[in-house]
Amino acid sequence: MSKQKIYVTRSSMPELSEYIEEIKDIWETHWMTNMGAKHEKFRHRLQEYLGVEHMHLMVNGHMALELALQALKLTGEVITTPFTFASTTHAIVRNGLTPVFCDIRPDDYTIDTEKLERLITDRTSAIVPVHVYGNICQVEEIQRIADKYGLVVLYDAAHTFGETYRGNSVAAFGDVSCYSFHATKVFNSIEGGAVCYSDRLNEFGLSLFRLKNFGIRSETEVDGVGANAKMNEFCAAMGICNLRHIDEEIAKRKRVVDRYRECLQDISGIKLPVVQPDVKYNYAYFPVVFDEQVLGVTRNEIYMTLAAHEIYSRKYFYPLTSQFECYRQRFTEGDTPVALYFSKRVLTLPLYADLALADVDRICDIIKSKLQLGNKEG
Ligand code: T4K
């Protein structure tokens, strides 16, 4: 057990020697970016690991979302949820599209398909659901609705690295899925991301590939208003190394999650993450909901108590993106009451592969003690 500061997560890294070995040949080639050899090696290995046929690597998960939306050439309104990281909503707005916020399901916090259909108008062009915390959206129902109204489905799959649903890669659902390989994720390439897409989309892949490189078609032709969203060779090399250890990392995260469940189960007023049937999880987050009516203690008090012990949990995802200062004038938080309820009560507890089980016990003891459930630490 450490008495060091504990953050909500800690980046997984390979042995330094392994990384040095992987980047050595960059000193021979002097090729550091612009879709070099590491980039291609990483892409092929990832495609194999994730079981996806079409993929482009990106500089980060946000640019994956933003450029994928641009390449889809969407217009008008996009239905999404506000219970997510800033990136999802920003990517929509930065494309000149209007986010229309749908509420979330109380069990797994994904988009509520029972409330989705009534938000569709003749301006709706797409649905952007989030597999939040690695919980899988109701993919079949979303597809049924999308097919009925001719809408594109782009999943924010930032939290789902390596997950499968009914034996299929999560990226197999919808038209496009965007991953994040940020340092804080289950799997990282320092910064990074990927767009996976269905072979139903004809021009999309080429258009996306160009958009991530300034819209360049050839040395003398530029046919798109692109950005620079290329993954560099050092990030790709980190991804290659981390991919070698990912199964072990996920197994270690599972041990931590199992211990949390054991320690916090059956406490009235505490809601632990749901276990969805048919999902192979990656154990990305451990969101716990504290009901102050039952517990007599608020989520914020738990957060502060942990912080006083130098344990830094996070309020992912509070506030709702619809409550951000830059959006507040445009949206009414009361439109998504379930999302509002959970954003005020959820706390994501520290979770990473090397978090000691004794530290999990200590975190739980501190929480229980605050709830006056008879533990020693105060
Ligand atoms: N869509 C969704 C649903 C997302 O959650 C995200 C990102 C995106 C899209 C966009 O993907 P990217 O463009 O980021 O690839 C963090 C991450 O920066 C962000 O990637 C993530 N979601 C979000 C949920 O969490 P912050 O601002 O909370 O991170 P920060 O810097 O406070 O770090 C949290 C903790 O992680 C630190 O306390 C310690 C640890 N840490 C952090 C860094 C940067 C490390 O151990 N190593 C590190 O290098 O946003």
Side-chain angles (χ1 to χ4, degrees):
M1 177 167 67
S2 74
K3 277 282 183 180
Q4 286 176 343
K5 292 180 182 176
I6 297 179
Y7 295 99
V8 69
T9 195
R10 196 174 73 156
S11 297
S12 297
M13 298 173 81
E15 292 293 329
L16 181 59
S17 55
E18 184 180 347
Y19 186 63
I20 288 173
E21 191 55 37
E22 190 61 50
I23 60 172
K24 243 181 195 164
D25 52 2
I26 300 178
W27 267 258
E28 282 151 35
T29 62
H30 286 239
W31 194 278
M32 295 198 277
T33 185
N34 287 11
M35 285 73 82
K38 302 282 172 204
H39 180 285
E40 285 308 279
K41 178 173 166 184
F42 182 37
R43 186 167 66 89
H44 287 128
R45 292 202 177 167
L46 266 181
Q47 281 180 273
E48 200 176 313
Y49 185 82
L50 295 173
V52 298
E53 216 177 317
H54 307 293
M55 169 192 283
H56 284 307
L57 293 178
M58 295 284 158
V59 66
N60 55 48
H62 177 77
M63 288 310 285
L65 284 171
E66 195 169 313
L67 293 187
L69 285 166
Q70 187 181 349
L72 286 166
K73 300 185 175 70
L74 301 172
T75 56
E77 297 170 357
V78 168
I79 301 176
T80 185
T81 59
F83 189 74
T84 181
F85 190 57
S87 175
T88 324
T89 305
H90 287 346
I92 294 168
V93 175
R94 286 169 62 81
N95 269 285
L97 299 162
T98 303
V100 173
F101 291 114
C102 183
D103 211 349
I104 58 170
R105 291 156 46 82
D107 57 349
D108 58 23
Y109 319 121
T110 65
I111 196 163
D112 188 341
T113 49
E114 285 182 16
K115 297 179 179 171
L116 200 166
E117 210 163 341
R118 71 179 81 129
L119 298 173
I120 296 172
T121 70
D122 53 10
R123 284 172 45 76
T124 309
S125 59
I127 309 171
V128 177
V130 184
H131 297 302
V132 67
Y133 305 132
N135 289 332
I136 306 307
C137 298
Q138 294 181 296
V139 289
E140 290 99 348
E141 183 58 9
I142 290 170
Q143 199 56 54
R144 185 195 68 75
I145 296 171
D147 289 344
K148 182 171 166 191
Y149 295 93
L151 305 175
V152 168
V153 181
L154 182 153
Y155 283 105
D156 183 335
H159 300 172
T160 66
F161 188 85
E163 291 193 340
T164 61
Y165 173 60
R166 296 196 170 154
N168 295 301
S169 167
V170 169
F173 302 100
D175 299 289
V176 178
S177 295
C178 296
Y179 286 100
S180 161
F181 311 144
H182 184 261
T184 56
K185 295 292 190 287
V186 170
F187 169 77
N188 83 79
S189 60
I190 309 175
E191 291 261 10
V195 178
C196 302
Y197 54 97
S198 143
D199 47 17
R200 291 190 299 274
L201 297 178
N202 293 331
E203 298 291 305
F204 176 84
L206 184 58
S207 156
L208 181 69
F209 182 77
R210 287 181 184 157
L211 286 175
K212 78 168 178 175
N213 188 24
F214 308 101
I216 292 173
R217 190 209 293 220
S218 71
E219 271 184 44
T220 51
E221 293 164 300
V222 175
D223 65 6
V225 186
N228 179 355
K230 293 167 272 124
M231 176 181 283
N232 70 56
E233 295 289 276
F234 293 88
C235 288
M238 183 61 101
I240 291 166
C241 294
N242 279 336
L243 196 56
R244 292 190 191 112
H245 308 285
I246 186 65
D247 291 339
E248 192 190 330
E249 289 286 304
I250 292 174
K252 284 162 99 181
R253 295 179 83 100
K254 180 178 186 307
R255 283 176 57 231
V256 173
V257 164
D258 287 348
R259 188 61 157 247
Y260 269 129
R261 287 191 183 281
E262 208 179 295
C263 295
L264 296 175
Q265 69 187 343
D266 299 330
I267 300 176
S268 169
I270 284 191
K271 178 175 179 282
L272 300 182
V274 69
V275 179
Q276 296 176 308
D278 305 321
V279 174
K280 187 182 131 227
Y281 277 106
N282 64 8
Y283 309 96
Y285 294 90
F286 198 75
V288 176
V289 174
F290 295 91
D291 181 346
E292 73 286 352
Q293 303 275 9
V294 179
L295 298 167
V297 174
T298 65
R299 177 272 308 266
N300 288 353
E301 287 169 321
I302 304 279
Y303 172 88
M304 296 298 288
T305 302
L306 288 171
H309 287 81
E310 300 193 311
I311 295 165
Y312 302 102
S313 58
R314 292 296 283 266
K315 301 171 194 174
Y316 296 137
F317 290 99
Y318 171 85
L320 297 177
T321 64
S322 52
Q323 296 176 297
F324 290 173
E325 216 164 308
C326 52
Y327 297 129
R328 208 179 282 158
Q329 307 301 327
R330 297 172 58 179
F331 305 104
T332 315
E333 59 185 38
D335 288 351
T336 55
V338 179
L340 187 63
Y341 176 91
F342 286 107
S343 79
K344 284 180 175 167
R345 290 169 179 82
V346 72
L347 204 56
T348 47
L349 299 183
L351 171 54
Y352 43 91
D354 289 329
L355 182 61
L357 296 185
D359 282 328
V360 177
D361 292 346
R362 187 160 71 89
I363 292 166
C364 295
D365 281 352
I366 293 167
I367 293 172
K368 285 180 182 170
S369 169
K370 182 70 186 168
L371 300 176
Q372 299 182 325
L373 292 171
N375 287 283
K376 296 177 292 304
E377 295 213 46

